[in-house]
Amino acid sequence: MTYIVNDNCIKCKYTDCVEVCPVDCFYVGENMLVINPDECIDCGVCEPECPVDAIQADTDPGAEKWLELNKEMADVWPNITMKLDAPPDADDYREVKDKYEKFFSNEPGNPEK
C-alpha cells in the first residue's frame, strides 16, 4: 500500500502534508501536489494533515486513476520539501467536486513559492 493525492488537491494545493513527510516524496505541479508511490513508505502521517482530504490510500475504491497520475507526474514535476503558502483563492475551491476535468494542469510548479 502507498498513499496518493486525488483531485481534492487541485486549486487548493495546501502543503501541510509536505511538512510532515519523513521521506520527501511529494512533488509539485502548477495547481496540485502528488506523491511518488515508489518513494512513499506508507507511514500515513500526511493523510490527517490535509485539510481537504486529498490524500488517500491507493487501496481505496477509485484510487487507481490517481495512483497512475501520481506516478506519471512525480516523474516530471519537481520535488517539494517545505510547506508553502496555499494559493490566495484556495478556500474558494475546497468544496468543488470533479476538479480534474475542469482545472487540472500538468505544468510543473515551483517548490519554493
Side-chain angles (χ1 to χ4, degrees), residues 8 10 12 14 51-53 90-99 102:
N8 289 348
I10 297 173
C12 291
Y14 296 102
V52 293
D53 298 322
D91 286 340
D92 296 342
Y93 293 93
R94 285 179 84 114
E95 303 299 322
V96 175
K97 299 296 178 203
D98 303 318
K99 293 191 271 185
K102 299 172 191 169

Side-chain angles (χ1 to χ4, degrees), residues 27-79:
Y27 291 78
V28 61
E30 180 179 35
N31 65 6
M32 79 175 288
L33 304 174
V34 294
I35 294 172
N36 184 329
D38 296 328
E39 296 173 0
C40 177
I41 60 171
D42 311 328
C43 67
V45 297
C46 60
E47 185 179 22
E49 296 300 317
C50 182
V52 293
D53 298 322
I55 299 174
Q56 68 183 98
D58 70 341
T59 55
D60 289 350
E64 302 83 18
K65 171 184 178 178
W66 304 113
L67 178 61
E68 288 305 312
L69 180 76
N70 278 241
K71 283 181 184 179
E72 181 182 336
M73 295 296 100
D75 284 343
V76 294
W77 287 351
N79 186 246

Side-chain angles (χ1 to χ4, degrees), residues 76-91:
V76 294
W77 287 351
N79 186 246
I80 182 171
T81 59
M82 62 183 178
K83 182 178 177 177
L84 304 174
D85 292 335
D89 60 350
D91 286 340

